[in-house]
Amino acid sequence: WPAAAGPRLLAVVNLKPVKNHALLLQAFSKVQSVQSARLLILGEGPLRTELEEIARSLGIMDRIAMPGFRADPAPYYSVADLFVMSSDFEGFGNVIVEAMSYGLPIVSTDCPSGPSEILDNGRYGNLVPVGDQVALAEGMENALGQQHDKTPLILRSQDFSPPKAARAYLRLITGDA
């Protein structure tokens, strides 16, 4: 994490256009104008240089870290204060489930498909419109300003465990709903 004080925001993702990290950096700069925070983006991809340039131009480079891909992101999830996803589109959103398994509050774009289903239409996290940097910043600020009970998030993440998902698929296939 960057050495500066403040809440720790985490994003775990491939650095590619569909993940819209430019939006995340813009929203984070708005959060920075209100409250001191730190952002760590775990992942690697073709947009690294472009995202670093955006962070420098926004004046937030000293508040972010981009250490690259980590095979085991658990140490980062375990000390983060908030998980943020800024995608324009997702296949499922495994990282949301991972973050929930650590009891992390979530702010995510309400992109097709995955976040709304995983977060049960906002019951387990904050959903904001895709591409809306003001809403994403407000979602992060609101989440950072609230106390969160980790237990419901951890329990919800278990709904997506392989054994539970396999049983659900079997019920669907066999018609035993």
Side-chain angles (χ1 to χ4, degrees):
W1 294 103
R8 296 164 296 210
L9 286 69
L10 176 64
V12 180
V13 75
N14 290 321
L15 305 179
K16 56 186 182 181
V18 72
K19 304 301 183 177
N20 204 349
H21 283 93
L23 175 75
L24 174 59
L25 293 174
Q26 293 161 350
F28 179 72
S29 78
K30 291 184 181 310
V31 171
Q32 275 302 115
S33 69
V34 175
Q35 148 177 14
S36 181
R38 299 170 283 170
L39 172 64
L40 187 128
I41 300 174
L42 284 184
E44 199 53 72
L47 295 183
R48 171 181 278 285
T49 303
E50 180 181 325
L51 295 173
E52 289 170 344
E53 289 173 14
I54 292 170
R56 270 192 283 288
S57 73
L58 291 169
I60 57 172
M61 196 62 185
D62 63 329
R63 305 297 298 179
I64 69 165
M66 296 173 61
F69 172 77
R70 295 294 185 262
D72 181 12
Y76 301 95
Y77 283 120
S78 66
V79 297
D81 298 303
L82 179 66
F83 183 82
V84 183
M85 192 170 81
S86 54
S87 297
D88 292 333
F89 181 83
E90 278 295 320
F92 174 69
N94 287 324
V95 292
I96 293 175
V97 177
E98 287 178 359
M100 289 172 63
S101 74
Y102 287 88
L104 275 178
I106 311 287
V107 175
S108 175
T109 51
D110 191 9
C111 65
S113 63
S116 181
E117 293 82 4
I118 296 167
L119 297 174
D120 193 15
N121 297 310
R123 180 176 174 199
Y124 295 100
N126 297 321
L127 292 165
V128 300
V130 172
D132 189 335
Q133 68 176 275
V134 172
L136 185 59
E138 288 173 356
M140 290 188 281
E141 290 169 17
N142 291 339
L144 290 172
Q146 298 174 358
Q147 293 292 322
H148 298 275
D149 183 358
K150 293 181 175 199
T151 303
L153 298 172
I154 293 168
L155 292 173
R156 175 65 173 162
S157 74
Q158 293 169 1
D159 288 342
F160 302 96
S161 69
K164 201 164 192 175
R167 285 192 300 275
Y169 279 120
L170 285 173
R171 282 194 306 274
L172 183 65
I173 291 168
T174 61
D176 294 336

